[in-house]
Short mmCIF file of all heavy atoms in Angstrom, two decimals:
data_model
loop_
_atom_site.label_atom_id
_atom_site.label_comp_id
_atom_site.label_asym_id
_atom_site.label_seq_id
_atom_site.Cartn_x
_atom_site.Cartn_y
_atom_site.Cartn_z
N MET A 510 119.78 124.93 134.10
CA MET A 510 120.00 125.80 135.24
C MET A 510 119.10 125.35 136.39
O MET A 510 117.90 125.16 136.22
CB MET A 510 119.68 127.23 134.82
CG MET A 510 119.89 128.23 135.91
SD MET A 510 119.74 129.91 135.27
CE MET A 510 118.21 130.38 136.04
N SER A 511 119.69 125.18 137.55
CA SER A 511 118.90 124.73 138.69
C SER A 511 118.30 125.92 139.43
O SER A 511 118.83 127.02 139.41
CB SER A 511 119.77 123.90 139.63
OG SER A 511 120.78 124.71 140.19
N LEU A 512 117.17 125.68 140.04
CA LEU A 512 116.47 126.71 140.78
C LEU A 512 117.12 126.92 142.14
O LEU A 512 117.59 125.98 142.77
CB LEU A 512 115.02 126.33 140.98
CG LEU A 512 114.15 126.19 139.74
CD1 LEU A 512 112.77 125.71 140.12
CD2 LEU A 512 114.06 127.51 139.00
N SER A 513 117.11 128.17 142.61
CA SER A 513 117.59 128.45 143.96
C SER A 513 116.56 127.94 144.95
O SER A 513 115.40 127.66 144.60
CB SER A 513 117.81 129.95 144.14
OG SER A 513 116.56 130.63 144.18
N ARG A 514 116.97 127.84 146.19
CA ARG A 514 116.04 127.39 147.24
C ARG A 514 114.87 128.37 147.34
O ARG A 514 113.73 127.96 147.52
CB ARG A 514 116.78 127.27 148.58
CG ARG A 514 115.91 126.74 149.71
CD ARG A 514 115.46 125.33 149.46
NE ARG A 514 114.66 124.86 150.58
CZ ARG A 514 113.81 123.87 150.52
NH1 ARG A 514 113.68 123.18 149.40
NH2 ARG A 514 113.12 123.51 151.57
N ALA A 515 115.16 129.66 147.20
CA ALA A 515 114.10 130.67 147.24
C ALA A 515 113.07 130.42 146.14
O ALA A 515 111.86 130.45 146.38
CB ALA A 515 114.68 132.07 147.12
N GLU A 516 113.54 130.14 144.93
CA GLU A 516 112.64 129.88 143.80
C GLU A 516 111.81 128.62 144.03
O GLU A 516 110.62 128.59 143.72
CB GLU A 516 113.42 129.76 142.50
CG GLU A 516 114.04 131.08 142.05
CD GLU A 516 115.01 130.91 140.91
OE1 GLU A 516 115.86 130.00 140.97
OE2 GLU A 516 114.91 131.69 139.95
N ILE A 517 112.43 127.61 144.58
CA ILE A 517 111.71 126.36 144.87
C ILE A 517 110.59 126.62 145.88
O ILE A 517 109.45 126.19 145.69
CB ILE A 517 112.68 125.28 145.40
CG1 ILE A 517 113.62 124.83 144.27
CG2 ILE A 517 111.92 124.09 145.99
CD1 ILE A 517 114.79 123.99 144.74
N LEU A 518 110.91 127.35 146.94
CA LEU A 518 109.90 127.64 147.96
C LEU A 518 108.79 128.53 147.42
O LEU A 518 107.62 128.31 147.72
CB LEU A 518 110.56 128.28 149.19
CG LEU A 518 111.49 127.38 149.99
CD1 LEU A 518 112.18 128.17 151.10
CD2 LEU A 518 110.75 126.18 150.56
N ILE A 519 109.14 129.51 146.60
CA ILE A 519 108.13 130.38 145.99
C ILE A 519 107.22 129.57 145.07
O ILE A 519 106.00 129.74 145.11
CB ILE A 519 108.80 131.55 145.25
CG1 ILE A 519 109.43 132.51 146.27
CG2 ILE A 519 107.81 132.27 144.34
CD1 ILE A 519 110.38 133.52 145.68
N ASN A 520 107.79 128.69 144.28
CA ASN A 520 106.97 127.84 143.39
C ASN A 520 106.02 126.96 144.19
O ASN A 520 104.86 126.78 143.81
CB ASN A 520 107.86 127.00 142.48
CG ASN A 520 108.50 127.81 141.39
OD1 ASN A 520 108.01 128.86 141.00
ND2 ASN A 520 109.63 127.33 140.89
N LYS A 521 106.51 126.41 145.30
CA LYS A 521 105.65 125.58 146.14
C LYS A 521 104.55 126.42 146.79
O LYS A 521 103.41 125.97 146.89
CB LYS A 521 106.47 124.87 147.21
CG LYS A 521 107.29 123.72 146.66
CD LYS A 521 107.98 122.98 147.78
CE LYS A 521 108.58 121.69 147.26
NZ LYS A 521 108.92 120.78 148.35
N LEU A 522 104.88 127.62 147.22
CA LEU A 522 103.89 128.51 147.82
C LEU A 522 102.81 128.86 146.82
O LEU A 522 101.61 128.78 147.12
CB LEU A 522 104.58 129.78 148.34
CG LEU A 522 103.68 130.84 148.95
CD1 LEU A 522 103.09 130.34 150.26
CD2 LEU A 522 104.46 132.12 149.18
N ILE A 523 103.21 129.23 145.61
CA ILE A 523 102.26 129.64 144.57
C ILE A 523 101.35 128.48 144.17
O ILE A 523 100.17 128.67 143.92
CB ILE A 523 103.03 130.20 143.36
CG1 ILE A 523 103.67 131.53 143.75
CG2 ILE A 523 102.12 130.36 142.14
CD1 ILE A 523 104.71 132.03 142.78
N SER A 524 101.91 127.28 144.14
CA SER A 524 101.11 126.12 143.73
C SER A 524 100.38 125.47 144.91
O SER A 524 99.75 124.42 144.75
CB SER A 524 101.99 125.09 143.03
OG SER A 524 102.96 124.58 143.93
N ASN A 525 100.47 126.11 146.09
CA ASN A 525 99.79 125.63 147.30
C ASN A 525 100.24 124.22 147.68
O ASN A 525 99.45 123.39 148.11
CB ASN A 525 98.27 125.69 147.14
CG ASN A 525 97.56 125.69 148.46
OD1 ASN A 525 98.10 126.16 149.46
ND2 ASN A 525 96.35 125.15 148.48
N LYS A 526 101.54 123.95 147.50
CA LYS A 526 102.10 122.64 147.84
C LYS A 526 103.23 122.77 148.85
O LYS A 526 104.10 121.91 148.94
CB LYS A 526 102.61 121.94 146.58
CG LYS A 526 101.50 121.60 145.62
CD LYS A 526 102.02 120.91 144.40
CE LYS A 526 100.85 120.60 143.44
NZ LYS A 526 101.30 119.95 142.24
N ILE A 527 103.24 123.85 149.62
CA ILE A 527 104.31 124.12 150.56
C ILE A 527 103.97 123.49 151.92
O ILE A 527 102.81 123.56 152.37
CB ILE A 527 104.57 125.63 150.67
CG1 ILE A 527 105.90 125.92 151.34
CG2 ILE A 527 103.43 126.36 151.36
CD1 ILE A 527 106.38 127.35 151.18
N SER A 528 104.95 122.86 152.52
CA SER A 528 104.73 122.26 153.84
C SER A 528 104.85 123.33 154.92
O SER A 528 105.31 124.46 154.67
CB SER A 528 105.76 121.16 154.09
OG SER A 528 107.05 121.73 154.29
N GLU A 529 104.47 122.98 156.11
CA GLU A 529 104.56 123.91 157.23
C GLU A 529 106.02 124.32 157.48
O GLU A 529 106.31 125.49 157.71
CB GLU A 529 103.97 123.27 158.48
CG GLU A 529 103.90 124.19 159.67
CD GLU A 529 103.23 123.55 160.87
OE1 GLU A 529 102.46 122.58 160.70
OE2 GLU A 529 103.49 124.02 161.99
N ASP A 530 106.94 123.36 157.43
CA ASP A 530 108.35 123.65 157.63
C ASP A 530 108.90 124.54 156.52
O ASP A 530 109.70 125.45 156.76
CB ASP A 530 109.18 122.37 157.72
CG ASP A 530 108.92 121.59 159.00
OD1 ASP A 530 108.43 122.19 159.99
OD2 ASP A 530 109.20 120.38 159.02
N GLU A 531 108.49 124.27 155.28
CA GLU A 531 108.95 125.08 154.15
C GLU A 531 108.41 126.50 154.24
O GLU A 531 109.11 127.47 153.92
CB GLU A 531 108.54 124.43 152.83
CG GLU A 531 109.31 123.17 152.53
CD GLU A 531 108.72 122.38 151.38
OE1 GLU A 531 107.49 122.43 151.14
OE2 GLU A 531 109.49 121.67 150.71
N LEU A 532 107.16 126.64 154.70
CA LEU A 532 106.59 127.97 154.87
C LEU A 532 107.37 128.74 155.94
O LEU A 532 107.67 129.92 155.75
CB LEU A 532 105.11 127.88 155.25
CG LEU A 532 104.40 129.22 155.47
CD1 LEU A 532 104.49 130.10 154.23
CD2 LEU A 532 102.96 128.99 155.89
N ALA A 533 107.71 128.08 157.01
CA ALA A 533 108.52 128.72 158.06
C ALA A 533 109.88 129.14 157.50
O ALA A 533 110.36 130.25 157.79
CB ALA A 533 108.69 127.77 159.24
N GLU A 534 110.48 128.29 156.67
CA GLU A 534 111.76 128.62 156.04
C GLU A 534 111.61 129.82 155.11
O GLU A 534 112.45 130.73 155.10
CB GLU A 534 112.28 127.41 155.25
CG GLU A 534 113.59 127.64 154.57
CD GLU A 534 114.05 126.45 153.74
OE1 GLU A 534 113.45 125.35 153.83
OE2 GLU A 534 115.01 126.62 152.97
N PHE A 535 110.53 129.85 154.34
CA PHE A 535 110.25 130.96 153.43
C PHE A 535 110.09 132.27 154.21
O PHE A 535 110.70 133.29 153.86
CB PHE A 535 108.99 130.66 152.61
CG PHE A 535 108.52 131.81 151.77
CD1 PHE A 535 109.14 132.10 150.57
CD2 PHE A 535 107.47 132.61 152.18
CE1 PHE A 535 108.72 133.16 149.79
CE2 PHE A 535 107.04 133.67 151.40
CZ PHE A 535 107.66 133.95 150.20
N LEU A 536 109.29 132.25 155.26
CA LEU A 536 109.06 133.45 156.05
C LEU A 536 110.34 133.94 156.73
O LEU A 536 110.58 135.14 156.81
CB LEU A 536 107.95 133.20 157.08
CG LEU A 536 106.57 132.94 156.48
CD1 LEU A 536 105.58 132.55 157.57
CD2 LEU A 536 106.07 134.15 155.70
N THR A 537 111.15 133.01 157.18
CA THR A 537 112.44 133.37 157.76
C THR A 537 113.33 134.00 156.69
O THR A 537 114.01 135.01 156.94
CB THR A 537 113.14 132.14 158.37
OG1 THR A 537 112.30 131.60 159.40
CG2 THR A 537 114.49 132.50 158.95
N GLY A 538 113.32 133.43 155.51
CA GLY A 538 114.15 133.93 154.41
C GLY A 538 113.80 135.34 153.97
O GLY A 538 114.68 136.16 153.74
N ILE A 539 112.50 135.64 153.89
CA ILE A 539 112.12 136.98 153.43
C ILE A 539 112.36 138.04 154.49
O ILE A 539 112.49 139.21 154.17
CB ILE A 539 110.67 137.04 152.91
CG1 ILE A 539 109.66 136.67 153.98
CG2 ILE A 539 110.49 136.20 151.67
CD1 ILE A 539 108.21 136.89 153.59
N SER A 540 112.42 137.62 155.75
CA SER A 540 112.66 138.60 156.81
C SER A 540 114.14 138.75 157.15
O SER A 540 114.52 139.67 157.87
CB SER A 540 111.86 138.24 158.06
OG SER A 540 112.29 137.01 158.57
N ASP A 541 114.98 137.87 156.63
CA ASP A 541 116.42 137.92 156.87
C ASP A 541 117.06 138.93 155.91
O ASP A 541 116.84 138.86 154.71
CB ASP A 541 117.01 136.53 156.65
CG ASP A 541 118.50 136.48 156.91
OD1 ASP A 541 118.90 136.26 158.06
OD2 ASP A 541 119.25 136.66 155.93
N GLU A 542 117.85 139.86 156.44
CA GLU A 542 118.45 140.90 155.61
C GLU A 542 119.36 140.33 154.52
O GLU A 542 119.35 140.82 153.40
CB GLU A 542 119.24 141.88 156.47
CG GLU A 542 118.34 142.81 157.26
CD GLU A 542 119.13 143.88 157.99
OE1 GLU A 542 120.16 144.33 157.46
OE2 GLU A 542 118.69 144.25 159.08
N GLU A 543 120.13 139.31 154.85
CA GLU A 543 121.07 138.74 153.87
C GLU A 543 120.36 137.95 152.78
O GLU A 543 120.70 138.06 151.62
CB GLU A 543 122.09 137.85 154.58
CG GLU A 543 123.05 138.62 155.47
CD GLU A 543 124.05 137.71 156.17
OE1 GLU A 543 124.28 136.59 155.68
OE2 GLU A 543 124.57 138.13 157.20
N ARG A 544 119.38 137.15 153.16
CA ARG A 544 118.69 136.31 152.17
C ARG A 544 117.48 136.98 151.55
O ARG A 544 116.97 136.54 150.52
CB ARG A 544 118.26 134.99 152.82
CG ARG A 544 119.43 134.10 153.20
CD ARG A 544 118.96 132.78 153.72
NE ARG A 544 118.32 132.98 155.03
CZ ARG A 544 117.53 132.10 155.61
NH1 ARG A 544 117.28 130.96 155.02
NH2 ARG A 544 117.00 132.34 156.79
N GLY A 545 117.02 138.06 152.16
CA GLY A 545 115.82 138.75 151.66
C GLY A 545 115.94 139.20 150.22
O GLY A 545 114.97 139.14 149.47
N LYS A 546 117.12 139.63 149.82
CA LYS A 546 117.35 140.08 148.43
C LYS A 546 117.13 138.94 147.45
O LYS A 546 116.54 139.14 146.38
CB LYS A 546 118.77 140.64 148.30
CG LYS A 546 119.14 141.06 146.91
CD LYS A 546 118.65 142.45 146.59
CE LYS A 546 119.25 142.96 145.29
NZ LYS A 546 118.35 142.93 144.18
N THR A 547 117.56 137.75 147.80
CA THR A 547 117.37 136.58 146.93
C THR A 547 115.88 136.32 146.72
O THR A 547 115.42 136.08 145.59
CB THR A 547 118.03 135.34 147.55
OG1 THR A 547 119.41 135.63 147.76
CG2 THR A 547 117.89 134.12 146.66
N TYR A 548 115.10 136.38 147.81
CA TYR A 548 113.66 136.15 147.70
C TYR A 548 113.00 137.27 146.91
O TYR A 548 112.12 137.03 146.08
CB TYR A 548 113.04 136.03 149.10
CG TYR A 548 113.33 134.71 149.75
CD1 TYR A 548 114.51 134.49 150.45
CD2 TYR A 548 112.42 133.68 149.66
CE1 TYR A 548 114.78 133.27 151.03
CE2 TYR A 548 112.67 132.45 150.25
CZ TYR A 548 113.86 132.25 150.93
OH TYR A 548 114.12 131.04 151.51
N SER A 549 113.42 138.51 147.16
CA SER A 549 112.87 139.65 146.44
C SER A 549 113.13 139.53 144.94
O SER A 549 112.23 139.76 144.13
CB SER A 549 113.49 140.94 146.98
OG SER A 549 113.06 142.05 146.25
N ASP A 550 114.34 139.15 144.58
CA ASP A 550 114.69 138.99 143.16
C ASP A 550 113.85 137.89 142.52
O ASP A 550 113.36 138.05 141.39
CB ASP A 550 116.17 138.69 142.99
CG ASP A 550 117.06 139.87 143.34
OD1 ASP A 550 116.55 141.01 143.44
OD2 ASP A 550 118.28 139.65 143.53
N ALA A 551 113.71 136.77 143.22
CA ALA A 551 112.93 135.65 142.67
C ALA A 551 111.46 136.04 142.50
O ALA A 551 110.84 135.69 141.48
CB ALA A 551 113.06 134.42 143.57
N LEU A 552 110.90 136.77 143.44
CA LEU A 552 109.51 137.21 143.33
C LEU A 552 109.35 138.22 142.20
O LEU A 552 108.36 138.19 141.47
CB LEU A 552 109.02 137.80 144.64
CG LEU A 552 108.72 136.79 145.74
CD1 LEU A 552 108.55 137.49 147.08
CD2 LEU A 552 107.48 135.98 145.40
N GLU A 553 110.32 139.11 142.04
CA GLU A 553 110.25 140.09 140.95
C GLU A 553 110.26 139.39 139.59
O GLU A 553 109.49 139.74 138.69
CB GLU A 553 111.42 141.07 141.04
CG GLU A 553 111.36 142.14 139.98
CD GLU A 553 112.47 143.17 140.09
OE1 GLU A 553 113.31 143.07 141.00
OE2 GLU A 553 112.49 144.07 139.24
N ILE A 554 111.11 138.38 139.44
CA ILE A 554 111.15 137.61 138.19
C ILE A 554 109.80 136.96 137.92
O ILE A 554 109.27 137.00 136.81
CB ILE A 554 112.28 136.56 138.23
CG1 ILE A 554 113.64 137.26 138.18
CG2 ILE A 554 112.14 135.54 137.10
CD1 ILE A 554 114.81 136.36 138.53
N TYR A 555 109.22 136.36 138.96
CA TYR A 555 107.92 135.69 138.82
C TYR A 555 106.84 136.67 138.39
O TYR A 555 106.09 136.43 137.44
CB TYR A 555 107.55 135.00 140.13
CG TYR A 555 106.14 134.46 140.12
CD1 TYR A 555 105.81 133.32 139.39
CD2 TYR A 555 105.13 135.10 140.83
CE1 TYR A 555 104.51 132.84 139.36
CE2 TYR A 555 103.83 134.62 140.80
CZ TYR A 555 103.52 133.50 140.08
OH TYR A 555 102.25 133.04 140.05
N PHE A 556 106.75 137.81 139.08
CA PHE A 556 105.70 138.77 138.77
C PHE A 556 105.92 139.43 137.41
O PHE A 556 104.95 139.71 136.70
CB PHE A 556 105.55 139.80 139.88
CG PHE A 556 104.88 139.22 141.11
CD1 PHE A 556 105.59 139.13 142.30
CD2 PHE A 556 103.59 138.74 141.06
CE1 PHE A 556 104.98 138.58 143.43
CE2 PHE A 556 102.98 138.19 142.18
CZ PHE A 556 103.68 138.11 143.37
N ASN A 557 107.16 139.67 137.03
CA ASN A 557 107.42 140.21 135.69
C ASN A 557 106.99 139.22 134.62
O ASN A 557 106.48 139.61 133.57
CB ASN A 557 108.89 140.58 135.53
CG ASN A 557 109.24 141.88 136.20
OD1 ASN A 557 108.38 142.72 136.43
ND2 ASN A 557 110.50 142.06 136.53
N ARG A 558 107.20 137.93 134.88
CA ARG A 558 106.76 136.90 133.93
C ARG A 558 105.23 136.91 133.81
O ARG A 558 104.68 136.80 132.71
CB ARG A 558 107.26 135.53 134.37
CG ARG A 558 106.96 134.44 133.36
CD ARG A 558 107.60 133.10 133.65
NE ARG A 558 108.23 132.99 134.94
CZ ARG A 558 107.91 132.07 135.86
NH1 ARG A 558 106.97 131.19 135.63
NH2 ARG A 558 108.53 132.02 137.01
N LEU A 559 104.54 137.07 134.94
CA LEU A 559 103.07 137.14 134.90
C LEU A 559 102.60 138.35 134.10
O LEU A 559 101.67 138.25 133.31
CB LEU A 559 102.50 137.23 136.32
CG LEU A 559 102.51 135.97 137.16
CD1 LEU A 559 101.94 136.27 138.54
CD2 LEU A 559 101.74 134.85 136.50
N LEU A 560 103.26 139.49 134.32
CA LEU A 560 102.90 140.69 133.56
C LEU A 560 103.12 140.49 132.06
O LEU A 560 102.29 140.86 131.24
CB LEU A 560 103.72 141.89 134.04
CG LEU A 560 103.30 142.51 135.35
CD1 LEU A 560 104.32 143.56 135.80
CD2 LEU A 560 101.92 143.13 135.24
N LYS A 561 104.26 139.90 131.73
CA LYS A 561 104.58 139.67 130.32
C LYS A 561 103.56 138.75 129.67
O LYS A 561 103.11 138.98 128.55
CB LYS A 561 105.98 139.08 130.20
CG LYS A 561 106.45 138.91 128.79
CD LYS A 561 107.87 138.41 128.74
CE LYS A 561 108.34 138.24 127.31
NZ LYS A 561 109.71 137.76 127.23
N GLU A 562 103.15 137.71 130.39
CA GLU A 562 102.18 136.75 129.84
C GLU A 562 100.79 137.37 129.71
O GLU A 562 100.01 136.94 128.87
CB GLU A 562 102.11 135.52 130.73
CG GLU A 562 103.36 134.66 130.67
CD GLU A 562 103.38 133.55 131.71
OE1 GLU A 562 102.42 133.44 132.51
OE2 GLU A 562 104.37 132.80 131.74
N SER A 563 100.49 138.37 130.53
CA SER A 563 99.15 138.96 130.49
C SER A 563 99.01 140.07 129.46
O SER A 563 97.91 140.51 129.18
CB SER A 563 98.77 139.50 131.87
OG SER A 563 99.54 140.64 132.18
N ARG A 564 100.11 140.52 128.88
CA ARG A 564 100.07 141.59 127.87
C ARG A 564 100.04 140.98 126.47
O ARG A 564 100.78 140.05 126.19
CB ARG A 564 101.27 142.51 128.03
CG ARG A 564 101.23 143.27 129.33
CD ARG A 564 102.46 144.12 129.48
NE ARG A 564 102.50 144.70 130.81
CZ ARG A 564 102.10 145.93 131.09
NH1 ARG A 564 101.64 146.71 130.15
NH2 ARG A 564 102.17 146.38 132.32
N PRO A 565 99.22 141.54 125.61
CA PRO A 565 99.09 140.97 124.26
C PRO A 565 100.38 140.99 123.45
O PRO A 565 100.64 140.08 122.69
CB PRO A 565 98.02 141.82 123.59
CG PRO A 565 97.72 142.93 124.51
CD PRO A 565 98.35 142.66 125.83
N ASN A 566 101.21 141.99 123.62
CA ASN A 566 102.44 142.08 122.83
C ASN A 566 103.63 141.43 123.53
O ASN A 566 104.73 141.44 123.01
CB ASN A 566 102.76 143.54 122.47
CG ASN A 566 102.94 144.41 123.69
OD1 ASN A 566 102.89 143.94 124.81
ND2 ASN A 566 103.13 145.69 123.46
N GLY A 567 103.42 140.88 124.73
CA GLY A 567 104.48 140.15 125.43
C GLY A 567 105.49 141.00 126.15
O GLY A 567 106.47 140.50 126.65
N GLU A 568 105.27 142.32 126.23
CA GLU A 568 106.22 143.19 126.91
C GLU A 568 105.92 143.21 128.41
O GLU A 568 104.77 143.15 128.83
CB GLU A 568 106.12 144.62 126.36
CG GLU A 568 106.59 144.73 124.92
CD GLU A 568 106.48 146.13 124.38
OE1 GLU A 568 106.21 147.05 125.17
OE2 GLU A 568 106.66 146.30 123.17
N ALA A 569 106.97 143.31 129.20
CA ALA A 569 106.81 143.30 130.64
C ALA A 569 106.29 144.62 131.18
O ALA A 569 105.71 144.67 132.24
CB ALA A 569 108.13 142.96 131.31
N GLY A 570 106.49 145.69 130.47
CA GLY A 570 106.01 146.99 130.93
C GLY A 570 107.06 147.66 131.81
O GLY A 570 108.15 147.15 132.02
N PRO A 571 106.72 148.83 132.35
CA PRO A 571 107.69 149.56 133.17
C PRO A 571 108.00 148.82 134.46
O PRO A 571 107.16 148.12 135.00
CB PRO A 571 106.98 150.88 133.46
CG PRO A 571 105.55 150.63 133.25
CD PRO A 571 105.45 149.50 132.24
N LYS A 572 109.24 149.00 134.93
CA LYS A 572 109.67 148.32 136.15
C LYS A 572 108.90 148.84 137.37
O LYS A 572 108.51 148.11 138.24
CB LYS A 572 111.17 148.48 136.36
CG LYS A 572 111.69 147.70 137.54
CD LYS A 572 113.18 147.70 137.63
CE LYS A 572 113.62 146.87 138.81
NZ LYS A 572 115.03 146.63 138.85
N GLU A 573 108.71 150.16 137.44
CA GLU A 573 107.99 150.75 138.56
C GLU A 573 106.56 151.06 138.14
O GLU A 573 106.32 151.62 137.09
CB GLU A 573 108.69 152.03 139.01
CG GLU A 573 110.08 151.75 139.57
CD GLU A 573 110.73 153.02 140.09
OE1 GLU A 573 110.00 153.93 140.51
OE2 GLU A 573 111.96 153.08 140.06
N LEU A 574 105.65 150.69 138.99
CA LEU A 574 104.23 150.93 138.69
C LEU A 574 103.71 152.10 139.47
O LEU A 574 104.13 152.45 140.48
CB LEU A 574 103.40 149.69 139.01
CG LEU A 574 103.76 148.45 138.21
CD1 LEU A 574 102.96 147.28 138.71
CD2 LEU A 574 103.49 148.67 136.75
#
């Protein structure tokens, strides 16, 4: 399965390997109503994975904190 452009940009941002142009694209994407949902979903997946990895039993926990 290939990563979406949003996921690619988020991975680059998190790993501190994002270029200035990519950062501008990312910021435009999160502020755009149509594409914002894609970025929101990708970030939610990433943070849920972090939560799951940080819990001893591997559960993601409740969706709303």
Side-chain angles (χ1 to χ4, degrees):
M510 181 171 110
S511 64
L512 296 176
S513 71
R514 183 65 178 159
E516 291 170 313
I517 292 168
L518 292 175
I519 290 167
N520 287 336
K521 286 185 169 196
L522 178 68
I523 291 166
S524 64
N525 200 29
K526 295 180 180 179
I527 195 166
S528 71
E529 185 177 338
D530 290 338
E531 290 168 331
L532 179 58
E534 181 183 350
F535 173 79
L536 294 174
T537 300
I539 61 172
S540 63
D541 181 88
E542 286 187 34
E543 292 179 22
R544 292 185 291 163
K546 177 83 169 104
T547 304
Y548 285 84
S549 176
D550 291 345
L552 285 167
E553 183 177 0
I554 290 167
Y555 171 74
F556 287 115
N557 283 337
R558 186 172 8 122
L559 286 178
L560 284 172
K561 185 176 180 180
E562 290 171 359
S563 70
R564 294 178 188 262
N566 59 4
E568 293 180 9
K572 185 172 182 171
E573 295 184 28
L574 298 175

